[in-house]
Amino acid sequence: MKIELFVPCFVDQLYPETAFNTVKVLEKAGCEVSYNSKQTCCGQPAYNAGYWEQAKEIGGKFLTDFSENEYIVAPSASCVGMVKNGFNDLFTNTIVHNKCRSMQANIFELSDFLINVLKKDYFGAELDGKAVYHDSCSGLRECKIKEEPRQLLSKVHGLEMVEMKDTDMCCGFGGTFAVKFDAISSAMAEQKVNNALEMGAEYIISTDLSCLMHLEGYIKKNNIPLKTMHIADVLANGWLESTEY
């Protein structure tokens, strides 16, 4: 199956290894991955800040950078959620209305694509330790993703998954929210981290690096023995070469 890879701008700049691991997992699943190096951003930062004209310009570039007839997969529920939902505000009843609708139907967050399109949940990954899964707001509420990442993580050798309290509550990032309301944002991150520690977790795993970046900042600032990992990095970890897929 051919797919087009969408690498969000902050993943490209800050977490490129996650993008490479996304490619590895998709190729392991039998996909032929193509990447348009001219791609940039989906426009979400400008959209969330209220600059819809600028968001429309950036979003318009997104619509030209990708095909409306191929699957588009991204390691970010937040950015996928922007295309699936935010683009309605920007492109409904415009000249690109139909193209936008086609792309909205074909864009998927990684775990959603693996489970619901490819019907694959085992990749021979290994990770020793105990972990909790953080439901990002975009993943849970915009992309309707809940069981998909849990199903994938349940097949990782050596990984014990436990459910933490208030797993579906916001971590406090929320893009511009973390800048405008930094005290509240930090308190929310503290609560999320404490909930993970209460379960004896060594890892916090999520589909969204924006959430994990926010939590990692609090963790490092307070020297807490807890690690964050994107689900793509988990699925590409410790592969057994002799395992058949």
Side-chain angles (χ1 to χ4, degrees), residues 183-240:
I184 299 174
S185 175
S186 296
M188 294 171 74
E190 178 183 15
Q191 183 182 49
K192 181 69 66 171
V193 169
N194 286 340
N195 288 343
L197 291 174
E198 285 179 7
M199 301 306 300
E202 301 165 75
Y203 300 94
I204 299 178
I205 302 170
S206 184
T207 58
D208 279 87
L209 279 166
S210 51
C211 299
L212 296 176
M213 177 177 63
H214 177 61
L215 294 173
E216 186 179 17
Y218 179 84
I219 289 168
K220 287 185 175 181
K221 181 179 180 180
N222 293 279
N223 298 312
I224 296 170
L226 192 60
K227 297 179 181 179
T228 62
M229 288 188 74
H230 188 276
I231 192 168
D233 300 322
V234 176
L235 296 179
N237 191 69
W239 278 349
L240 302 175

Side-chain angles (χ1 to χ4, degrees), residues 20-35:
F20 287 118
N21 283 333
T22 299
V23 175
K24 291 178 183 178
V25 171
L26 287 168
E27 290 182 340
K28 179 79 79 170
C31 293
E32 180 183 334
V33 181
S34 65
Y35 174 75

Side-chain angles (χ1 to χ4, degrees), residues 56-82:
K56 188 173 183 178
E57 181 178 352
I58 300 169
K61 183 180 184 302
F62 180 95
L63 294 178
T64 62
D65 287 340
F66 293 90
S67 169
E68 61 184 297
N69 301 314
E70 301 284 354
Y71 284 117
I72 304 166
V73 181
S76 170
S78 176
C79 295
V80 170
M82 171 61 190

